[in-house]
Amino acid sequence: MAILRHVFAFALLSCTTASTTDLVTAPAVDPSGTNSSADSGAPPDAHAPTDSGSSEPTGGDEVSHSVTIQVEPGDSGEPILEAIKAATKSVHMTMYLLTNHDVQNALISLHQEGKDVKVVLNQNFPPNSTTNASAYKTLTNANVDVVWASSDYTFTHEKAVIIDAEKILIMTMNLTASSATSNREYIATDTDADDVADAEAVFEADYHGWPITVGGKLVVSPEQAQPVSPRDRLKALIESATSSLDIEVQELSDTGLTDAIIASHAANIAVRVVTTAAGDRNETPAQVSALTKLKQAGVPVVGLGNPYIHAKAIVVDDKFVFVGSQNFTPTALFENREIGLVTDTHSEVIKVRDVIEADFQNGTLR
């Protein structure tokens, strides 16, 4: 399809091989998972936007095709737990916050059955936030292979589970007891072989504490993880919109993405933004500033408190959807370990579009 050659594809030659990886070895108060202030540490102008001189991305097809998306709240996260339990060979998990005891027990059971179970857990959290100490101790005591994430990243905010080296669950959701019942979340199950291979390569590097660069279709933070930065990839996706742009995100403070949204609105593209309700305790001054800027430009922005907006999603022209762990903040895009994807699977694009539309209608203008 010609449009795929112009949407979410990028110019650097090193991106042309989708599954190429390059490994180089180098010489707690809110257990619900709704506190994600780990993303908002930098001011919105900490990284100046890249000016490519054109709003149209260039290059080859950079979207994943074999994707289904699960929406929460809705099924209490049971399909995630069942997918983990059904593993026949391996489960490789990278998780920002793991407090769900059913998931921990499933990992222990798989290990006891002789499956290859490895877990990378985020260790560093914002002050007065939460902790993975209990999960780490529980898994370690059961001899499950678990390591703390590298301190090279501000936070390992990724939420991903690779099952049997055949599929990867890329989630906006932490594996906590209440995330799947209280939050708006999206879980993408991706069976694209190249994506799974890249995700495995990133996991292996993070498990061993190695740096890595991948050149495939996944959206990987921090900025060194791919030849084109996550901000530029998401900015290009936003700028590719010709008729509609729907955004649902917990945290938005990045100047480049904020300006791209405003430019889309100014170009008479139908823009809707859904975020957390006014007064959200995790909202930073940088986020307030970005929301103020959007409102002053006339961009329709609503807040929603029930369910809590923990999502990170972009829908463009009812043709493409981004889902990932990245909030739209400089810390998430440039300093954290994060993973997301873009798909053109029509049924899933429309599914997310419809949810954002309903949330927008149910929200209150910010």
Side-chain angles (χ1 to χ4, degrees):
M1 294 172 58
I3 190 168
L4 293 183
R5 291 192 294 271
H6 295 285
V7 178
F8 200 67
F10 305 93
L12 297 187
L13 292 176
S14 52
C15 283
T16 58
T17 303
S19 62
T20 299
T21 60
D22 180 18
L23 273 67
V24 182
T25 54
V29 173
D30 184 7
S32 69
T34 60
N35 183 350
S36 185
S37 57
D39 299 302
S40 55
D45 58 353
H47 299 270
T50 300
D51 183 3
S52 63
S54 170
S55 62
E56 180 179 280
T58 59
D61 297 352
E62 295 294 336
V63 297
S64 304
H65 306 297
S66 304
V67 176
T68 57
I69 296 176
Q70 172 186 345
V71 181
E72 300 294 355
D75 54 30
S76 299
E78 283 300 318
I80 300 171
L81 180 60
E82 292 307 313
I84 293 171
K85 288 181 176 180
T88 60
K89 297 180 294 184
S90 63
V91 172
H92 294 165
M93 176 186 293
T94 301
M95 195 56 51
Y96 177 70
L97 182 58
L98 172 62
T99 61
N100 187 303
H101 295 296
D102 290 337
V103 173
Q104 294 175 41
N105 290 336
L107 295 172
I108 292 169
S109 294
L110 289 170
H111 167 72
Q112 292 172 342
E113 294 167 7
K115 309 296 192 301
D116 173 22
V117 180
K118 294 186 177 72
V119 180
V120 176
L121 287 180
N122 179 66
Q123 184 174 21
N124 300 315
F125 289 88
N128 302 316
S129 184
T130 187
T131 177
N132 276 323
S134 177
Y136 186 90
K137 181 179 180 180
T138 296
L139 295 177
T140 300
N141 287 345
N143 295 316
V144 175
D145 208 346
V146 56
V147 299
W148 290 121
S150 172
S151 60
D152 290 343
Y153 310 120
T154 300
F155 303 100
T156 290
H157 192 250
E158 177 182 340
K159 310 114 171 25
V161 185
I162 308 166
I163 298 174
D164 292 336
E166 294 176 351
K167 62 183 176 183
I168 176 173
L169 278 58
I170 294 178
M171 306 186 289
T172 70
M173 189 179 80
N174 291 298
L175 291 179
T176 71
S178 62
S179 291
T181 58
S182 302
N183 297 352
R184 174 66 72 223
E185 307 276 10
Y186 299 107
I187 299 94
T189 298
D190 183 359
T191 58
D192 183 299
D194 289 338
D195 290 353
V196 174
D198 278 348
E200 282 277 27
V202 172
F203 176 85
E204 186 73 9
D206 288 350
Y207 178 81
H208 291 286
W210 299 334
I212 187 171
T213 299
V214 292
K217 301 184 294 295
L218 297 177
V219 183
V220 186
S221 300
E223 61 179 325
Q224 299 89 351
Q226 290 186 307
V228 180
S229 77
R231 173 200 271 156
D232 286 345
R233 298 192 74 172
L234 296 185
K235 184 169 179 282
L237 178 64
I238 291 170
E239 290 175 340
S240 72
T242 60
S243 60
S244 64
L245 176 64
D246 292 307
I247 291 176
E248 188 163 47
V249 67
Q250 181 192 22
E251 299 184 4
L252 168 62
S253 65
D254 181 77
T255 299
L257 299 188
T258 301
D259 289 347
I261 295 167
I262 291 171
S264 294
H265 173 74
N268 294 318
I269 292 164
V271 178
R272 291 181 290 205
V273 178
V274 181
T275 188
T276 56
D280 173 50
R281 66 190 181 282
N282 298 318
E283 206 163 66
T284 66
Q287 295 167 51
V288 173
S289 176
L291 291 175
T292 300
K293 190 175 182 180
L294 290 171
K295 291 185 290 183
Q296 289 176 341
V299 177
V301 181
V302 304
L304 188 64
N306 186 20
Y308 181 84
I309 302 300
H310 193 254
K312 305 92 169 64
I314 302 170
V315 180
V316 170
D317 294 339
D318 295 346
K319 295 177 180 177
F320 302 93
V321 59
F322 163 81
V323 169
S325 65
Q326 289 100 336
N327 277 295
F328 304 156
T329 70
T331 304
L333 299 172
F334 290 91
E335 299 174 16
N336 291 351
R337 167 64 82 217
E338 313 259 10
I339 284 186
L341 61 77
V342 172
T343 184
D344 63 350
T345 304
H346 185 67
S347 60
E348 309 313 290
V349 174
I350 299 305
K351 182 188 298 181
V352 177
R353 189 278 315 271
D354 288 349
V355 172
I356 296 177
E357 181 178 16
D359 287 347
F360 186 86
Q361 295 299 325
N362 291 330
T364 302
L365 285 174
R366 292 292 309 263

